[in-house]
Amino acid sequence: MVLGKHITLSMPNGEKRRAQFAIVELGEVLASHDEQTFAPSKGYPTNAQGQNINDRNYADDQLAQQRVQDNARNLDPYRLLTTSRTPSGSPIVAGQLRADKWIVVSGNNRTMSTKLAARQFPVNYEAYKEALKSELSAFGIKPQMLTKFQQPFLVRIDYDFPAFETRELAKYNQSTMKGKRAVDKTIERSNSLRENPLCKTRIPLIIDEYERMSEFFNDRIAQKTMLQALLNCNLITEQSIPEYYEEGYFTTAGKELVESVLAGIILDKAALKAAERDGIKQARRVVVYAMPVLIENSTLGGEANLVPHVNDTILYINTIKSSGLPFDQFINQGAMFEKRKFHPWSIYLSRLMSLGQRRFKAAIKSFNSSIKQSAGAALFADQAVSAQEAFAAYVIDPLPEKEKQLISQFTGEKAKSQIEPWLFIGDFPASIMFADRTQTVNGDYRNLVGISKATGQIKQYHFPKGKECKRKVSYALKVAKGIREQDGLPIPKTENTSVKLRLLKVKKAKQLKLIELW
């Protein structure tokens, strides 16, 4: 390496950074992708998900690949040899080596093009060397120093580059975001958001109090708060504000930006790509509205973490849309269209999403609450609410009976609610409580029964509506009475058990909102 003069880099977001021109060996500079195969370069930094931190996806963006090849075929030395203090011009590398390689943080296309020219168009690369030799003095380097190199390459070293993260690479490219595909911009921004724990938490909370996304987009104050958060988190620049925000409200492009960035906190790369389709954007909107409770869910362990299933749900909905069939026809002919087998939970979640934003968010919130309260209630091990039980209660039970039957038939598995019509609520000092899963209205259980520990008598809690409901309650009493012997649910001991049952009156209906354990 031969060092040249010091300069100050001027970043698109207004930052100023210490930098210096330098000549290095071309082979010791590592771009994000291989110039021949366009696969991610081995040794280039990756994020927590194992993805390349450069979200310009050369691996499957044929247009980006073509640009590299065209630039190599028509290599312009003076595009690479500039005294520019902005990210354009000579490629920029991080100030610290990794495995003896200079990591390109801005100018990956320019680096790959030069490497490809050196391999396939040597005349073009020789022209670059001659131009570099004649311009060296402008970079504070003596021409005779070039003889030290086999394949010299001019770079700028950013000494203030803070971390190998997507959001840091994005700072160089903010002024050129328009040149990227929409999905690549989405992935880049969402990765940047994931890398910033504070932003990842605060931005979703801005929409948490609204019943629907449309209500958020009608609130002028909330949108101003969101705009400032996007700026503070370096997801947009001051210069790009007119594209996304106008007269106090987000433009169509701004709404798309907000939704796609938020979706990227939970959705992985494949799901984000699918969610860009017009027919899938409604499902993405459901995910975005439920973002705070989905982030909470992502902290739960084992089967209780529904985020992988939510990602597969988006892919499943995309598969249905691609078939052109409605759900009932698709699932009956699903084997003909599906290239992969989806977990039954992903299929149930797809139907829950179809019930709307509020229903989906409320279900996930109740699921989380049930799991967390059960885990922290000091219950006996056999009394804790399992992920399967909570999923059956909050995701499966609210679905139309016909859809539950279709999914059950298609997956070859009976839904939990069909196998166990009685949901165990809790072991209380005086009684054991159960709910009748066969009778729900908007996810609320109307029929409850309690078995007295002292007398073995059954007490009913219900708000009947008509003869049909009374008949069901009568049946419930008979079944509950035999639950202990027939279904293997003996009355356990209750010493030191501090479980309470909270029954919440549902708005505009005399029904009971059940199974809130604490």
Side-chain angles (χ1 to χ4, degrees):
M1 178 181 68
V2 174
L3 295 173
K5 65 181 179 182
H6 292 271
I7 57 171
T8 299
L9 284 175
S10 181
M11 304 291 286
N13 64 357
E15 283 185 44
K16 304 297 181 183
R17 295 189 177 181
R18 295 173 300 115
Q20 188 174 16
F21 284 106
I23 301 293
V24 297
E25 282 288 353
L26 183 60
E28 294 177 0
V29 179
L30 189 64
S32 61
H33 293 73
D34 184 272
E35 67 275 6
Q36 296 187 97
T37 66
F38 296 105
S41 295
K42 183 178 180 180
Y44 196 83
T46 57
N47 59 21
Q49 290 73 41
Q51 299 172 351
N52 194 307
I53 62 170
N54 180 16
D55 281 314
R56 172 58 67 90
N57 191 2
Y58 289 95
D60 61 9
D61 187 346
Q62 293 185 353
L63 182 59
Q65 294 175 14
Q66 188 62 51
R67 285 174 181 157
V68 171
Q69 293 165 345
D70 288 344
N71 289 339
R73 191 177 294 107
N74 305 291
L75 193 67
D76 181 358
Y78 295 99
R79 179 170 172 262
L80 300 164
L81 305 174
T82 71
T83 56
S84 172
R85 267 59 170 172
T86 67
S88 61
S90 305
I92 300 173
V93 298
Q96 61 270 36
L97 287 164
R98 280 177 65 117
D100 297 324
K101 296 289 186 182
W102 293 102
I103 305 299
V104 178
V105 292
S106 179
N108 281 285
N109 184 311
R110 284 161 269 165
T111 302
M112 286 189 284
S113 299
T114 307
K115 285 189 170 187
L116 192 62
R119 285 176 177 272
Q120 298 182 2
F121 310 99
V123 174
N124 291 352
Y125 177 70
E126 287 301 320
Y128 167 82
K129 285 175 61 177
E130 288 300 317
L132 175 60
K133 184 178 180 179
S134 65
E135 298 290 336
L136 272 181
S137 59
F139 308 115
I141 300 172
K142 296 179 180 180
Q144 58 267 33
M145 301 300 291
L146 213 58
T147 59
K148 295 177 176 288
F149 300 90
Q150 292 183 344
Q151 290 186 322
F153 189 55
L154 179 69
V155 298
R156 289 171 290 174
I157 302 173
D158 183 349
Y159 291 117
D160 291 330
F161 182 76
F164 290 109
E165 297 178 342
T166 299
R167 59 177 171 168
E168 294 301 332
L169 265 65
K171 290 180 180 179
Y172 297 101
N173 300 321
Q174 282 175 333
S175 61
T176 59
M177 283 286 274
K178 288 184 178 180
K180 293 188 175 184
R181 298 182 304 169
V183 67
D184 289 334
K185 289 191 283 187
T186 295
I187 293 170
E188 178 175 308
R189 286 173 172 139
S190 54
N191 277 346
S192 297
L193 192 55
R194 282 198 208 102
E195 293 166 352
N196 189 324
L198 192 60
C199 292
K200 176 184 174 181
T201 302
R202 285 186 175 178
I203 288 182
L205 287 178
I206 297 173
I207 66 170
D208 192 32
E209 63 183 272
Y210 298 91
E211 290 292 323
R212 293 184 178 86
M213 286 300 295
S214 58
E215 293 182 14
F216 162 73
F217 285 124
N218 284 327
D219 188 328
R220 192 185 187 102
I221 295 176
Q223 291 186 76
K224 185 175 181 180
T225 301
M226 178 65 79
L227 177 72
Q228 191 59 50
L230 294 173
L231 285 167
N232 292 343
C233 294
N234 294 310
L235 297 172
I236 61 173
T237 62
E238 292 281 353
Q239 295 89 337
S240 65
I241 288 178
E243 178 185 356
Y244 301 119
Y245 188 80
E246 191 174 74
E247 297 181 355
Y249 294 94
F250 282 108
T251 62
T252 299
K255 292 176 181 179
E256 179 75 15
L257 167 70
V258 171
E259 290 182 8
S260 62
V261 165
L262 285 169
I265 298 175
I266 290 296
L267 300 184
D268 60 24
K269 199 170 185 178
L272 278 174
K273 286 183 178 181
E276 289 290 322
R277 290 188 55 190
D278 289 338
I280 317 298
K281 286 184 178 180
Q282 181 57 39
R284 184 185 70 184
R285 196 165 292 121
V286 173
V287 171
V288 169
Y289 175 67
M291 192 55 57
V293 295
L294 285 172
I295 291 174
E296 180 187 20
N297 176 266
S298 70
T299 65
L300 302 179
E303 289 186 315
N305 185 349
L306 300 178
V307 170
H309 295 298
V310 171
N311 274 276
D312 281 350
T313 295
I314 296 296
L315 300 180
Y316 181 73
I317 294 172
N318 185 45
T319 303
I320 295 177
K321 292 292 182 183
S322 298
S323 75
L325 296 174
F327 171 73
D328 57 349
Q329 292 183 32
F330 174 83
I331 200 165
N332 280 322
Q333 305 175 39
M336 297 171 58
F337 296 96
E338 286 192 42
K339 295 180 180 179
R340 54 168 287 187
K341 186 175 181 180
F342 288 90
H343 193 285
W345 283 19
S346 298
I347 302 176
Y348 284 118
L349 284 167
S350 75
R351 304 321 301 156
L352 182 63
M353 283 188 183
S354 72
L355 298 181
Q357 298 175 27
R358 287 187 295 176
R359 296 286 293 278
F360 182 81
K361 181 178 180 180
I364 302 301
K365 184 176 182 180
S366 296
F367 177 93
N368 294 347
S369 178
S370 179
I371 296 294
K372 294 176 77 173
Q373 290 171 355
S374 174
L379 293 174
F380 294 108
D382 61 347
Q383 293 175 331
V385 176
S386 68
Q388 292 91 340
E389 289 172 330
F391 190 87
Y394 294 114
V395 177
I396 298 178
D397 280 357
L399 301 180
E401 196 62 38
K402 182 180 178 181
E403 291 190 352
K404 287 190 282 189
Q405 292 174 359
L406 283 171
I407 298 171
S408 174
Q409 293 168 5
F410 175 70
T411 60
E413 300 178 10
K414 289 187 176 181
K416 192 79 173 177
S417 57
Q418 292 174 293
I419 296 173
E420 299 175 11
W422 291 97
L423 179 67
F424 171 74
I425 302 306
D427 174 31
F428 305 98
S431 63
I432 297 178
M433 296 292 296
F434 295 87
D436 178 6
R437 277 179 159 151
T438 65
Q439 285 289 297
T440 62
V441 176
N442 294 329
D444 302 321
Y445 296 88
R446 293 166 58 182
N447 308 328
L448 315 180
V449 295
I451 304 175
S452 170
K453 294 179 181 179
T455 65
Q457 292 182 336
I458 303 294
K459 187 174 181 180
Q460 63 186 47
Y461 304 83
H462 69 284
F463 291 89
K465 289 187 177 181
K467 295 181 180 179
E468 177 63 19
C469 182
K470 291 180 180 179
R471 188 183 70 79
K472 287 283 186 182
V473 170
S474 175
Y475 170 73
L477 296 176
K478 291 180 182 179
V479 175
K481 191 172 183 179
I483 278 180
R484 286 170 294 174
E485 296 80 17
Q486 296 178 10
D487 292 348
L489 292 172
I491 298 176
K493 295 180 180 179
T494 59
E495 288 86 347
N496 300 321
T497 302
S498 59
V499 183
K500 295 181 180 180
L501 177 67
R502 185 170 68 177
L503 303 177
L504 301 177
K505 289 287 183 69
V506 178
K507 293 180 181 179
K508 300 181 181 179
K510 292 182 178 180
Q511 301 161 3
L512 294 177
K513 183 76 175 179
L514 191 57
I515 53 176
E516 297 262 355
L517 300 181
W518 52 5

